[in-house]
Amino acid sequence: MQGGPDPEVVWQQVVGADADPDAVNGALAGVVGYFLVESLLPAPPNLPTIRTFQRLQGDLGLAWLRQRLRLRA
């Protein structure tokens, strides 16, 4: 969200080179789904920006998942 490196590059260099791609895609889809669904809920008291944060994280995660699946946005 702050303009860091490409998540796929970091994933491959740090952890994921040997990971099963289908398992990674499944886990990523689950996390992305969580962020996007939660972003639609009303904000809890004292956390007025949490839903915007979750939406941004979900959008970025979805872009990464599309990249991994070789889909176009």
Side-chain angles (χ1 to χ4, degrees):
M1 275 178 31
Q2 290 79 29
D6 181 338
E8 186 65 22
V9 172
V10 173
W11 174 257
Q12 291 299 325
Q13 290 177 351
V14 177
V15 200
D18 296 326
D20 175 5
D22 289 334
V24 173
N25 292 342
L28 182 56
V31 171
V32 166
Y34 167 79
F35 276 123
L36 293 176
V37 168
E38 290 293 310
S39 76
L40 300 174
L41 300 175
N46 302 321
L47 290 173
T49 61
I50 190 73
R51 300 309 180 204
T52 300
F53 169 81
Q54 290 169 324
R55 180 57 194 232
L56 292 170
Q57 290 287 2
D59 288 346
L60 290 169
L62 186 57
W64 182 24
L65 182 58
R66 284 183 174 136
Q67 175 189 349
R68 288 185 58 84
L69 296 173
R70 310 265 191 289
L71 297 177
R72 298 189 192 261

